[in-house]
Amino acid sequence: MEILQLLSERGDLAHLTLFLWASSSTSLLLWALKELVSGARKLDAFLEEVAHLNKVLRDDEWP
């Protein structure tokens, strides 16, 4: 809190606001990228299971 008081006394509220905006934007970007990677992994696992199922069903076909 001392930092906030020092910044407000010096009149650097614009810099504080910019820092908070940049920090929150960066955090949101990192969270979104983490979710995208997680979704890609889940899709990859699903497609591997579909490929495995296709192989099993293909092997069980009548000659």
Side-chain angles (χ1 to χ4, degrees):
M1 286 302 186
E2 293 176 16
I3 294 174
L4 294 176
Q5 186 178 7
L6 178 65
L7 289 174
S8 65
E9 288 173 358
R10 291 185 54 202
D12 289 338
L13 290 177
H15 290 102
L16 178 62
T17 305
L18 182 61
F19 171 74
L20 292 174
W21 173 80
S23 298
S24 62
S25 297
T26 301
S27 297
L28 183 60
L29 174 65
L30 292 175
W31 175 79
L33 288 174
K34 185 181 95 169
E35 291 296 317
L36 284 171
V37 168
S38 174
R41 286 182 181 152
K42 288 177 184 177
L43 178 63
D44 189 45
F46 173 74
L47 292 177
E48 285 181 18
E49 290 297 322
V50 169
H52 177 70
L53 180 62
N54 281 337
K55 183 181 178 197
V56 168
L57 291 176
R58 199 174 320 125
D59 290 343
D60 287 345
E61 290 182 4
W62 295 95

